[in-house]
Amino acid sequence: DAGVIQSPRHEVTEMGQEVTLRCKPISGHDYLFWYRQTMMRGLELLIYFNNNVPIDDSGMPEDRFSAKMPNASFSTLKIQPSEPRDSAVYFCASSLAWGQGTRTAEAFFGQGTRLTVV
Amino acid sequence: RKEVEQDPGPFNVPEGATVAFNCTYSNSASQSFFWYRQDCRKEPKLLMSVYSSGNEDGRFTAQLNRASQYISLLIRDSKLSDSATYLCVVNTMNSGYSTLTFGKGTMLLVSP
């Protein structure tokens, strides 16, 4: 498997523009996570899906952010309109389902999308 | 109190040194614990899980103290290639669903 695939790798956009980040999880993984990483705040969980259903979106900063997972092999994170403070590296990760008592739950990360909003 | 706290470092050590990182977590219901490694401008990758009894993987030893809500990572005989940021990660079950919470990481710089 090629691992988690994200696109684009880099995105530079002007303030006010719509930005769409894409993610293809590892085949067979039930969980998909969107994270944002900045120097100030580290890695923050934005939203995660289980079997394509959004479970927890409490980390989404505001209504400008939305995420979808139309099928098991694809997810998008959209920012509309974008602002300079959205500049960060956005990671998508996927993982196999795990239940109570399971000891290991490795999350596999994509290479990230480095977003710069000017 | 932050959910997962780590000393940001950087820790500057010479090759061959032993270095230890600490991490504290706030949610006593947390069930699983991990250390991830992140190289500069790369994605995080799992380094090792942390088990209650403590576990070792080559030069790396991880320990967990549930009573104190404290996790540690010890690296012996540091190599230049160990230079990276080490992220403490806590998995907490909530209403049947699991979430991974990451610390901000501790940066390690190993010099010749």
Side-chain angles (χ1 to χ4, degrees):
Chain A
D1 199 315
V4 177
I5 299 173
Q6 290 186 248
S7 64
R9 292 290 307 279
H10 302 273
E11 176 82 27
V12 180
T13 190
E14 290 186 347
M15 182 173 64
Q17 296 297 306
E18 177 179 296
V19 175
T20 299
L21 311 181
R22 297 173 176 78
C23 175
K24 181 181 187 305
I26 294 173
S27 177
H29 280 190
D30 297 277
Y31 284 78
L32 183 140
F33 308 86
W34 281 102
Y35 284 90
R36 177 173 70 176
Q37 187 173 39
T38 60
M39 287 291 291
M40 287 294 294
R41 301 173 71 91
L43 260 173
E44 301 175 280
L45 177 65
L46 300 177
I47 185 171
Y48 78 96
F49 296 82
N50 176 230
N51 292 322
N52 313 339
V53 176
I55 302 301
D56 184 357
D57 65 353
S58 61
M60 297 285 260
E62 48 198 273
D63 291 346
R64 297 185 296 108
F65 286 68
S66 62
K68 294 182 180 179
M69 193 164 185
N71 57 62
S73 60
F74 184 65
S75 177
T76 60
L77 178 68
K78 186 176 292 187
I79 309 172
Q80 165 64 13
S82 58
E83 296 182 3
R85 60 193 168 118
D86 301 330
S87 298
V89 180
Y90 290 81
F91 286 105
C92 174
S94 71
S95 182
L96 284 170
W98 65 80
Q100 298 262 5
T102 300
R103 301 184 80 187
T104 58
E106 181 175 2
F108 293 84
F109 284 77
Q111 291 183 300
T113 296
R114 186 171 295 275
L115 173 66
T116 303
V117 183
V118 298
Chain B
R1 183 180 174 185
K2 294 177 185 174
E3 290 193 58
V4 181
E5 289 201 70
Q6 295 181 251
D7 181 342
F11 283 55
N12 289 283
V13 302
E15 272 188 290
T18 295
V19 61
F21 306 137
N22 303 320
C23 167
T24 57
Y25 60 96
S26 60
N27 189 337
S28 59
S30 299
Q31 298 190 330
S32 306
F33 309 89
F34 311 90
W35 284 100
Y36 276 66
R37 169 191 169 131
Q38 186 172 22
D39 292 304
C40 186
R41 302 180 78 84
K42 298 285 189 181
E43 72 275 21
K45 293 184 179 179
L46 179 66
L47 176 66
M48 60 194 301
S49 302
V50 185
Y51 301 133
S52 296
S53 55
N55 49 296
E56 191 173 301
D57 183 1
R59 297 181 294 109
F60 298 82
T61 300
Q63 292 201 310
L64 167 65
N65 183 324
R66 283 187 184 273
S68 301
Q69 295 180 202
Y70 171 96
I71 306 159
S72 66
L73 177 68
L74 183 77
I75 305 176
R76 289 181 301 278
D77 189 23
S78 300
K79 312 291 185 190
L80 295 176
S81 57
D82 293 335
S83 297
T85 296
Y86 291 83
L87 304 167
C88 177
V89 186
V90 173
N91 178 17
T92 305
M93 294 293 292
N94 185 10
S95 300
Y97 291 99
S98 181
T99 57
L100 290 177
T101 303
F102 285 75
K104 287 189 180 180
T106 298
M107 183 181 290
L108 171 66
L109 300 172
V110 182
S111 54

